[in-house]
Amino acid sequence: MESSEGGLSRLTELVGPGHALFAYGTLQFPEVLEVLLGRVPLLEVAELPGWRAAILPRRVYPGLVVADGGLARGCVLGDLTAAEWAILDAFEDDEYDLRQVRVAGWSEPVWTYVWTAGTDPGDWHRDRFAADHLVRFAARSVRWRCAPAEAVDPGASVWSESVGG
């Protein structure tokens, strides 16, 4: 699969069924998944030791970064189709790298999007995002899903709002 820039996408390592995704940010919300995929895949609560969901500068969504003693909470999305992977990958910012990680209690590694740029020092909070930003984020996701080629990059200011510390 090729990315919008004409190079190989992050999905080149995903071959065949059975690849699960650890979601620690906006993709753990059924409201967002329903908009993007037209359904809510199987979601299982999960934790990823040694990582944290960091606040990103000028963005309402987090980035996963290594953190000694950290614990990223989220969920594992199972039963994703190749087409759904392509949608989710296109939705993700270019500053994420798709990598395999070991989620607590899972025998097999799962995939996740790891942030590769700078972060703010604080941790992103799921409940704060849900209360302050989820409705607007889901609405923006609808617009992206209707016309992804015409939509503003998810990292641009249209997606960015103050998230607080």
Side-chain angles (χ1 to χ4, degrees), residues 15-60:
V15 179
H19 296 286
L21 174 68
F22 175 70
Y24 54 88
T26 62
L27 294 180
Q28 65 183 309
F29 290 92
E31 299 89 336
V32 174
L33 293 168
E34 180 68 39
V35 164
L36 296 176
L37 305 179
R39 73 179 188 100
V40 178
L42 176 65
L43 299 173
E44 296 185 45
V45 174
E47 296 180 334
L48 182 60
W51 297 80
R52 72 182 184 93
I55 293 173
L56 301 181
R58 297 172 308 281
R59 292 174 169 92
V60 299

Side-chain angles (χ1 to χ4, degrees), residues 7-98:
L8 293 177
S9 81
R10 294 174 284 213
L11 299 180
T12 56
E13 294 186 50
L14 293 175
V15 179
H19 296 286
L21 174 68
F22 175 70
Y24 54 88
T26 62
L27 294 180
Q28 65 183 309
F29 290 92
E31 299 89 336
V32 174
L33 293 168
E34 180 68 39
V35 164
L36 296 176
L37 305 179
R39 73 179 188 100
V40 178
L42 176 65
L43 299 173
E44 296 185 45
V45 174
E47 296 180 334
L48 182 60
W51 297 80
R52 72 182 184 93
I55 293 173
L56 301 181
R58 297 172 308 281
R59 292 174 169 92
V60 299
Y61 52 86
L64 187 69
V65 294
V66 172
D68 288 336
L71 183 66
R73 291 183 170 85
C75 61
V76 173
L77 284 67
D79 74 336
L80 293 170
T81 67
E84 290 169 337
W85 269 106
I87 291 166
L88 296 178
D89 194 63
F91 186 71
E92 291 295 343
D93 193 297
D94 288 340
E95 291 177 304
Y96 288 103
D97 186 24
L98 188 59

Side-chain angles (χ1 to χ4, degrees), residues 7 61 84 111-112 145 149:
Y61 52 86
E84 290 169 337
W111 294 93
T112 196
R145 186 65 178 111

